[in-house]
Amino acid sequence: MSTSSGLNLFNWRDPKIKTLHITWFAFFLTFVVWFSHAPLLVFIKEAFDLSSQQVKALLILNVALTIPARIIIGMLVDKFGPRSIFSALLLISSGICLGFATADSYESLALFRFLLGFVGAGFVIGIRMVGEWFPARQVGLAEGIYGGWGNFGSAAGAMTLPTIALAFGGEDGWRYALGLTGVIAGLYGLFYYRVARNTPKDSTYFKPKKSGGLEVTSKKDLYFYLLMNIPMYLALAALAYKLSPAGVQLLSSDTTYLLWGVLVLLFAVQTRQIWHVNKEHLQQGVPELEKYQFKQVAILNLAYFVTFGSELAVVSMLPLFFLETFAGLDAVQAGLLASGFAFMNLVSRPTGGHFSDSLGRRRSLMFLIGGLAVGYLVLSQINSGWWISVAVLATMACSFFVQAGEGAVFAVVPLVKRRMTGQIAGMTGAYGNVGAVTYLTALSFVDYSSFFLIIAASAGLVFFACAFLDEPRGKIAEVLPDGTVQLISVE
């Protein structure tokens, strides 16, 4: 399989192609593990006699830890390298997955589900790895293949795990299916550590000068950075509210208030750490060659907010939307019709990355987010009078723009500042989850049509924000430990 960008995906003798394949599969496994509970919820609900509120709590817990995890993992990747961090994440998540599979109470189920939210940060790791191995003219397509094929892990799990559970048989079949995913993830973690390498031969792996936050290059950008951190804490506060007595009643009022207090404290600690990371070099002045604009990161964050954020939100509500909109459908049929949205990932993300490589970064992102806005505008008009086939085609067309937009976002991420690619990818990825929390919170107050209109309106605003994205040009500078400046092409 050869692409128009000159990537021969069957050429395993090419080290960068081998690295791409072993890395997208590592990401694929993290998504199988992360969403493994969803297709098995029927069995889990029956085994523990769970109420619908308890099931909803498990779904919320599944994404709660992913927002801070993506930030933390991004920092660790930049400091220690993707090879070690991806291997460690797979091994740790393997143990947590086995814990979830052997849980004997709702409390332990909830705890392990919460901890498994950490595996959702695996996506960030491969962004840095792929960015290290591919030149700028191919990085968009390579990142798109990585993201699109890896993201398919959730759909692959949904298609196979119930069958595996039934094949094992008995009332514990679901446990064996979950446990098997954990074992495979752990074994692959060992394999990945043995086979993967952080960089091509004779290349330098650039690390941040200090850990604990992004290095910015002006005081204005420092304040901008601190401002962009606030929505992540608000999203976590909203998740805590959903688990409170006012939501699914997993937490008491006192525990909810305590969590809110902890979030305020964490924000203060992070703000102090960011100042510590940036204080010295901002006071001394940053050489012109090393400067970058934080607005690039902020725009990518917002773009992923409306692309991946809307995807996560829509995938979770679309089966119910079809079920309630069209008479005569059963739950299985509605689920199959809705699955088209996620299936598009296999081709959409790589296509978005390819557009970015060949047609320009900013132009591609604006085109795809504009298409996304129109797509959701069309979805807002779907009602029971539509032919089901037309409604499905409309959702699949919309999903193309959504997921191609995701590919276009991460075609730019590795080109902003090489030594901080992990942290930039982590923050951008976290904003995807912030978007999902925001849109699902909105859905709890409005009808389906208004929900789609809200996404379309927010995408329209981000479309205009993307006009301010600077096209990566020329070279970015990184400094070797001995002070030598190395220039990396981003064209």
Side-chain angles (χ1 to χ4, degrees):
M1 180 180 175
S2 185
T3 70
S4 58
S5 289
L7 287 184
N8 181 359
L9 297 178
F10 289 140
N11 183 14
W12 278 79
R13 292 184 179 181
D14 184 342
K16 68 176 181 292
I17 298 297
K18 184 180 80 170
T19 299
L20 175 61
H21 283 307
I22 64 171
T23 303
W24 77 251
F25 192 72
F27 172 39
F28 175 94
L29 285 179
T30 64
F31 259 49
V32 171
V33 170
W34 189 20
F35 291 105
S36 59
H37 68 302
L40 300 174
L41 272 177
V42 174
F43 302 106
I44 296 170
K45 185 177 181 181
E46 184 180 339
F48 288 88
D49 193 24
L50 303 180
S51 67
S52 59
Q53 290 289 82
Q54 288 174 314
V55 171
K56 286 180 181 177
L58 287 179
L59 294 176
I60 295 168
L61 286 168
N62 194 51
V63 298
L65 196 59
T66 309
I67 294 173
R70 287 187 165 184
I71 301 295
I72 294 165
I73 287 292
M75 293 178 185
L76 293 174
V77 168
D78 286 342
K79 185 171 183 178
F80 298 107
R83 174 192 176 218
S84 297
I85 299 302
F86 227 150
S87 301
L89 183 75
L90 286 165
L91 287 166
I92 292 167
S93 62
S94 170
I96 299 170
C97 189
L98 290 171
F100 184 75
T102 55
D104 57 4
S105 68
Y106 177 69
E107 289 72 23
S108 54
L109 265 183
L111 173 63
F112 285 118
R113 199 68 249 163
F114 172 71
L115 293 175
L116 272 173
F118 212 88
V119 77
F123 168 67
V124 172
I125 307 171
I127 293 297
R128 175 86 198 241
M129 178 67 96
V130 174
E132 290 287 337
W133 278 87
F134 285 84
R137 62 186 171 81
Q138 296 177 328
V139 76
L141 177 59
E143 296 283 15
I145 291 168
Y146 165 75
W149 295 7
N151 211 41
F152 189 69
S154 58
M159 290 187 292
T160 58
L161 287 176
T163 304
I164 293 170
L166 291 172
F168 277 111
E171 59 182 26
D172 288 333
W174 65 273
R175 294 184 185 273
Y176 291 112
L178 283 170
L180 182 63
T181 65
V183 170
I184 292 171
L187 292 174
Y188 195 79
L190 296 173
F191 168 80
Y192 193 80
Y193 187 79
R194 182 176 180 183
V195 175
R197 295 294 177 266
N198 287 330
T199 63
K201 189 177 181 181
D202 299 325
S203 293
T204 304
Y205 189 80
F206 293 101
K207 300 180 181 182
K209 295 167 186 174
K210 293 181 181 178
S211 298
L214 277 173
E215 297 168 26
V216 293
T217 54
S218 72
K219 286 188 177 179
K220 180 186 72 174
D221 280 354
L222 177 62
Y223 298 130
F224 196 1
Y225 177 26
L226 293 174
L227 182 68
M228 289 296 292
N229 275 321
I230 294 174
M232 292 186 281
Y233 286 91
L234 292 178
L236 290 169
L239 288 172
Y241 177 78
K242 285 186 175 184
L243 295 170
S244 74
V248 298
Q249 302 172 4
L250 182 67
L251 305 176
S252 66
S253 295
D254 289 343
T255 305
T256 305
Y257 288 129
L258 177 64
L259 284 175
W260 285 341
V262 169
L263 288 174
V264 171
L265 180 62
L266 285 175
F267 178 72
V269 170
Q270 188 189 18
T271 300
R272 184 176 180 276
Q273 183 63 27
I274 289 169
W275 171 243
H276 173 72
V277 167
N278 287 284
K279 178 182 176 182
E280 187 176 338
H281 74 263
L282 287 181
Q283 287 176 343
Q284 292 175 350
V286 181
E288 197 64 35
L289 198 61
E290 290 189 54
K291 286 186 176 180
Y292 77 99
Q293 291 186 302
F294 182 77
K295 75 169 185 178
Q296 304 288 83
V297 179
I299 292 168
L300 294 172
N301 290 351
L302 295 175
Y304 211 59
F305 179 103
V306 296
T307 53
F308 188 65
S310 69
E311 181 186 355
L312 276 183
V314 170
V315 163
S316 61
M317 56 72 70
L318 207 54
L320 196 59
F321 169 70
F322 277 120
L323 194 64
E324 294 181 6
T325 303
F326 298 103
L329 290 181
D330 60 32
V332 173
Q333 291 170 328
L336 285 172
L337 292 175
S339 67
F341 201 96
F343 263 91
M344 292 296 289
N345 258 309
L346 284 171
V347 293
S348 300
R349 274 211 189 205
T351 302
H354 177 61
F355 282 175
S356 190
D357 288 342
S358 55
L359 303 177
R361 312 296 179 188
R362 181 176 59 222
R363 183 189 304 167
S364 299
L365 197 54
M366 291 183 70
F367 168 70
L368 294 168
I369 288 181
L372 175 160
V374 173
Y376 281 120
L377 202 59
V378 172
L379 295 193
S380 73
Q381 303 305 306
I382 294 176
N383 56 49
S384 58
W386 283 46
W387 290 345
I388 294 177
S389 57
V390 175
V392 171
L393 283 173
T395 58
M396 292 182 73
C398 180
S399 75
F400 168 80
F401 286 98
V402 171
Q403 293 151 7
E406 295 162 10
V409 168
F410 277 94
V412 183
V413 165
L415 306 178
V416 178
K417 198 66 177 166
R418 175 62 61 87
R419 70 173 179 268
M420 296 186 294
T421 296
Q423 291 177 79
I424 295 168
M427 190 172 186
T428 304
Y431 256 80
N433 288 75
V434 172
V437 172
T438 304
Y439 292 134
L440 288 173
T441 301
L443 180 61
S444 64
F445 295 105
V446 300
D447 60 19
Y448 293 126
S449 178
S450 300
F451 166 73
F452 290 127
L453 282 173
I454 288 169
I455 301 176
S458 60
L461 293 173
V462 173
F463 171 83
F464 287 109
C466 288
F468 296 94
L469 184 74
D470 294 332
E471 194 78 18
R473 298 206 181 278
K475 294 177 168 60
I476 53 175
E478 294 292 358
V479 182
L480 295 165
D482 64 2
T484 305
V485 175
Q486 184 169 324
L487 299 176
I488 302 167
S489 175
V490 293
E491 288 194 67

